[in-house]
Amino acid sequence: MCGIFGCILKKGRAAPLIREALKRLEYRGYDSAGIATIHGGKLYVKKDAGKIDEIHRRLDLDDMPGRIGIGHTRWATHGAPSQENAHPHGDCKWEVAVVHNGIIENFDELKKELMERGHEFKSKTDTEVIPHLIEEGLKNGLNLEEAVIEAVRRLEGSFAIAVISTKEPDKIVCARKESPLVVGIGEDGMYCASDVPAFLPITRRMVVLDDWEVAVLTEDSYKVVNALTEEEVIKEERHVDWSPELAMKGGYDHFMLKEIMEQPEALKNTLRISDFYYDLLAASLIKAERRFLVACGTSYHACVAASYIFSKVAKMHVEPVIASEFVQRYGEVVDERTAVLAVSQSGETADTLVAVRYAKRKGADILGITNVMGSSLCRISSVYVGQSSGPEIGVAATKTYTGQLLALTKIAIKVARRKGLIDEKGEKELLEELSKAPEEVRKVIEKTKERIKELAVKYHNRKSFCFLGRGVHVATAMEGRLKLLEISYIPSIAYPAGESKHGFIAVVEPGYPVVFIIPPPDDETFDDVLSNIIEMKSRGADIIAVVPESALEKVKDFVDDPIVVPDVPKLVEPIAFIVPLQLFAYYVSVAKGYDPDKPRNLAKSVTVK
Ligand code: M6R
């Protein structure tokens, strides 16, 4: 997730306005930024790694001439955060400049093709193919609008782009597919942006572009065409009355809710990551004799889930370990035949880094999954996957947890294929199953949201909760409990359901809320989970449960408050079934009057030991 902005003014300079707009989009990404303007037939570009204010101090971004320009604030997916990878990107002669939010899936083949035709590339980004494709169109006699249309038709994946060119210095052409893009209609000029907050202080009149739409902006007009049909589209104008803060949260009350809702989109982005990295990770894991998954908090829960998934899908033992315990617990067995796969949203968690640095000193192969490209974990890993979930601002991890689960599951499938446990067809089937995750999560949100709001109101004053699950849903229970605990301050516990009768059951008294994650009836753990529910129910517990539709009939007599979810493919279960528990935690926190985005005593990235 990056932020893009473009403006074409009737008078004055574009650059200061672009810089201020990028600042308002910084919540979408902040590892590098840049601006391009056109003046006197010449393109001016300033860009660098870092946050906008830092770059502005170094380069004076305001000091760029021209009434027209585009800008970008980046959340790296392809290519580490650096000056050369920062947007805008240009064609061979810097006559075209492009800013982009999204992921171009076929950039590798396009890049090869363009290089064969003599194009020179300066960055490692997927974006850079776009200006070169436009350059070819312009060379072949197309105008800028036509060249952009021709270029975007060749792109697979997601994009919101804004393009300027010295060939037609009086317009911005922007286009979108799957990444957001809005056009702002002002008194003093026209604007385009990833998101409304960018131009909120300037104008509240806007038009939302849909997939495959291309907008051509001049200083006092805009036109929208469909890139596939090339027909003009008449768009409905809207008036936004959001406050700047509400706009940043996409109209949601909190970032946490926005991020829960963003999960279908974020998962699509994780699915877009090239198989190349997953294959490399799988190869490294197979080569090792001992394999540890090391992480903290939510990321650790993703590792717990992965240990079940690796065992079932890839017949591989991977040991999930809480990072702060790794050295004490396994330090003496780490050597050059060990692989340590560290999972960290931020890539900067001190406990995780201490563990991997120790393992590296002892010769282990360090692998990583992180959401932050260029983080310390990326630098220390021999291979890593950047999960591309986009910036997560709420302290409670939500979309990055489901992204981690997806990435880990994909690695397990790749291991299974490499070990010969499945053939090409088998791999394709499993990957197809996994690719249903975004849509299944969307359905779960749609089906459960209102019901969970009611349950949160009903239960928010309880003093404690217990979360129980079996198999992979031990991890779902642990994560559901952490979500509730950290943002509502309700002391809660999570147990493997089978273990609950070895101690926890003593706590249960009438009215004690126990949350179960119930698998479908054909799951090998179903009968045992049902027995555990009956044990709790017979002691008077209030049973709340995530229940797939197919199990409802069998459990309805024992569950007080079912949260019914659709049946989903097996591999998608841990990803889909945590979502109602994220929502439950969120709404309980709100019902208690807390701010779920800023839980007390917690930081988004814990950089102390
Ligand atoms: O950035 P990391 O994934 O390494 O962070 C690990 C934990 O600090 C993090 O998951 C924490 O537990 C979250 N607040 C959970 O919502």
Side-chain angles (χ1 to χ4, degrees), residues 296-299 343-347 349 395-397 404 482-483 486 606:
C296 305
T298 288
S299 301
V343 181
S344 171
Q345 185 283 130
S346 61
T349 299
V395 165
Q404 288 166 345
L482 175 60
K483 287 293 84 90
E486 68 179 327
V606 184

Side-chain angles (χ1 to χ4, degrees), residues 300-319:
Y300 169 70
H301 299 151
C303 296
V304 173
S307 65
Y308 290 86
I309 298 164
F310 270 75
S311 161
K312 287 205 185 307
V313 175
K315 299 197 193 317
M316 178 181 268
H317 170 230
V318 292
E319 186 68 30

Side-chain angles (χ1 to χ4, degrees), residues 38 68 95 138 142-146 163-173 216:
I38 297 178
I68 177 170
E95 288 175 346
L138 293 174
L142 301 180
N143 65 32
L144 186 61
E145 176 187 332
E146 292 163 341
V163 184
I164 53 172
S165 169
T166 53
K167 299 269 184 195
E168 291 182 48
D170 55 354
K171 55 181 70 136
I172 296 176
V173 181
V216 183

